[in-house]
Amino acid sequence: MTSYVLLLERASRGFDFKIIATCAVVGPSMGYYGLSKTFDNESQLNAALSEARVADFEMNTALTTVRSGFKSFAVITYDQAQSMGLLKSEAQ
């Protein structure tokens, strides 16, 4: 069984910080590999999560941890990872 894990980390510069989101493909890759994407702020990340239909309760703990300066993660689905642009086909 393949799982998709959204890894989040904070890249800070003073009071402003960017969030780096990376999709890790755990298990058989099914022909895809994960990508990273940088969001300029939490609002951009929240918009992408909303568009991908990642539920708020799935991300609350992860985002709270990232705001504190630590890395965090949340399990997402294949469709959510695709919607966020975090998967690429090995054939491309």
Side-chain angles (χ1 to χ4, degrees), residues 28-90:
S29 69
M30 306 300 287
Y32 289 89
Y33 62 91
L35 299 172
S36 291
K37 190 173 193 177
T38 301
F39 295 90
D40 289 333
N41 53 51
E42 191 174 330
S43 295
Q44 283 185 350
L45 174 61
N46 283 329
L49 292 169
S50 178
E51 187 175 321
R53 298 186 177 190
V54 178
D56 289 340
F57 67 88
E58 294 176 12
M59 295 305 302
N60 282 341
T61 302
L63 288 173
T64 299
T65 302
V66 169
R67 279 187 213 108
S68 300
F70 298 96
K71 296 176 183 175
S72 191
F73 71 93
V75 176
I76 59 175
T77 67
Y78 167 86
D79 291 332
Q80 292 166 332
Q82 275 290 89
S83 178
M84 292 182 70
L86 296 173
L87 289 178
K88 185 168 183 172
S89 171
E90 291 176 352

